[in-house]
Amino acid sequence: MNTIRNYLESMFANLPNTPEVIKAKCELGQMMEDKYTELINEGKSDNEAVAQVISEFGNLEELGDALGISRILSEQNDTAGKTRQVSAEDAERYLADSSHYALLHGLATFFAIICPSGVILAGSLNPGSRTLMAVGGFFLLASVAVCVTLHVYSSLHMGRWSFLKDEPCTIDYATAGMVNDLRRSTHDSVILQRTIAILLFCTCYIPLVFLAVLDRRAIASAFGVVILLFMVALAVLLLTVSSSRVSSCSRLLDLSRSFTVSGSGTENRGRVVYKNSAVRAVMSVYWPTVTCLYLMISFLTFSWAISWIIWPIASVIRTLLESIFGTKGEQ
Amino acid sequence: MGISSDVIRGYNDTIILCLLLDEPSYGYEISRKIRTITADAYIIKETTLYSAFTRMEKNGYIESYPGFADNGKRRTYYRITDSGRKYYREKCEEWKLTKNVIEHFIREGE
């Protein structure tokens, strides 16, 4: 019976979400269910019954006039060649690829953040030593090289999925369900990763403070700074990985448009839309800007104990901006 | 040899109205009756049946009303209206005429 229900859902998945269409779907579903039940009672196997019900369903074009959607059906036939159907295997491969390359992206950022640690250690250990300075400098250049390589490599590989952004694509009902389940199942680990990241952000200055208090030598503070850099880098890595899973699932789910029947099956995420294009541009880089601001202020003033206040303030400001400039809901 | 759906299309409404003459009925029952009466020679598709229902309801030949199945599930029932009966009679006359015309051109044993 589930096969039949899925079949019906996918037949109706790309039709507009109107009362006529919903009524037709219920009515047809009822007829199919009645037929299936009777075939089973006659002693047919599940497979035989499903095959017969589906083969005797007919085709949707016959419903065109009845539902007032002939125009939409013929439009769909026109765009059928242009709209790309993303299969379940493709969706899985995309999710696997995006988490794989998000890890590489995260590692690239990791190296970008820790690159000065060699120089810092060398400078405080023995400021006069050219050899140590050279080793530190080598580490810096090598880290930057690794960072750039990883970035370019992962961007090139993710490039083959750019059609998801550039071309009209759709996913069918079953795939949307699978992606939705996947997103829900990773929810806990995403929360855990984010909590650890925030914990790292909040505590990263503690080793530095301790080392500086316990040991007055420059090397101790330098060591503290290096630990701080590693903790921040690790936190950013965790954030990158955790947000990639969420955003790639959302990208796939967004492909089933909200005004179609299958779109109503996925939860409405109540996305805020900005009418003003300037506001939209600013809001799209809001959180990266806040992060930069936070890191800059914190590193320049080293007042980590208080600079976290930027986050709650930023989130209040964002909510204010959303209610002033944004309209809730899709479209 | 299967039945040509092109020929029968013009008489789907007549078939359905005929089955509704005596008592109201619902989607699957009508499709099952068509199948048993014709001894599996004509199996009406679900989409064909549903579009016939909506078309005839729009034209006022049938009325739909909500009812309940034996197991308590909701189900849409259809009953024939007076104008539906009139339309049915017209279609029957039309078919007799058509049949007579075609009969002239059917030769057995060729």
Side-chain angles (χ1 to χ4, degrees), chain B residues 43-99:
Chain B
I43 296 163
I44 193 164
K45 306 265 187 202
E46 259 77 37
T47 49
T48 314
L49 193 58
Y50 184 75
S51 65
F53 283 152
T54 43
R55 189 177 53 243
M56 289 200 289
E57 194 172 13
K58 212 184 280 170
N59 291 339
Y61 301 148
I62 57 172
E63 285 171 345
S64 69
Y65 63 94
F68 291 93
D70 298 335
N71 57 9
K73 257 193 301 197
R74 283 170 59 87
R75 187 178 267 161
T76 313
Y77 283 80
Y78 297 93
R79 64 173 158 243
I80 191 166
T81 62
D82 288 341
S83 84
R85 285 176 197 277
K86 198 167 143 255
Y87 175 71
Y88 173 72
R89 287 258 52 92
E90 284 167 17
K91 288 297 278 188
C92 288
E93 293 305 315
E94 183 193 302
W95 172 248
K96 279 181 199 156
L97 201 66
T98 315
K99 205 176 79 173

Side-chain angles (χ1 to χ4, degrees), chain A residues 244-286:
Chain A
S244 101
R245 178 36 73 90
V246 175
S247 68
S248 52
C249 284
S250 302
R251 163 152 296 154
L252 285 176
L253 290 176
D254 282 346
L255 296 178
S256 62
R257 291 162 299 170
S258 61
F259 62 87
T260 63
V261 174
S262 73
S264 64
T266 66
E267 62 203 78
N268 185 358
R269 284 176 295 287
R271 175 163 299 171
V272 177
V273 178
Y274 301 100
K275 289 214 174 72
N276 188 325
S277 61
V279 176
R280 195 162 56 229
V282 171
M283 292 315 271
S284 67
V285 293
Y286 184 82

Side-chain angles (χ1 to χ4, degrees), chain A residues 15 29 34 62 119 157 176 275 289:
Chain A
L15 297 184
D34 285 342
E62 279 194 86
V119 180
H157 272 268
K275 289 214 174 72
T289 314

Side-chain angles (χ1 to χ4, degrees), chain A residues 161-228:
Chain A
W161 295 106
S162 64
F163 69 85
L164 289 175
K165 248 187 282 182
D166 306 334
E167 293 172 31
C169 300
T170 60
I171 52 174
D172 59 32
Y173 176 79
T175 313
M178 182 202 79
V179 175
N180 220 351
D181 287 347
L182 213 66
R183 188 174 61 166
R184 245 176 248 140
S185 69
T186 56
H187 186 255
D188 287 346
S189 65
V190 166
I191 299 269
L192 186 68
Q193 284 169 344
R194 287 191 177 166
T195 314
I196 295 176
I198 290 167
L199 207 69
L200 283 170
F201 271 130
C202 293
T203 56
C204 62
Y205 60 91
I206 295 176
L208 172 60
V209 172
F210 262 97
L211 284 169
V213 169
L214 289 175
D215 193 335
R216 287 272 158 212
R217 280 177 301 163
I219 180 70
S221 316
F223 206 63
V225 170
V226 171
I227 292 175
L228 182 145

Side-chain angles (χ1 to χ4, degrees), chain A residues 279-304:
Chain A
V279 176
R280 195 162 56 229
V282 171
M283 292 315 271
S284 67
V285 293
Y286 184 82
W287 286 119
T289 314
V290 171
T291 313
C292 285
L293 221 78
Y294 169 73
L295 290 176
M296 264 165 58
I297 291 175
S298 306
F299 275 115
L300 288 177
T301 64
F302 266 95
S303 44
W304 296 88

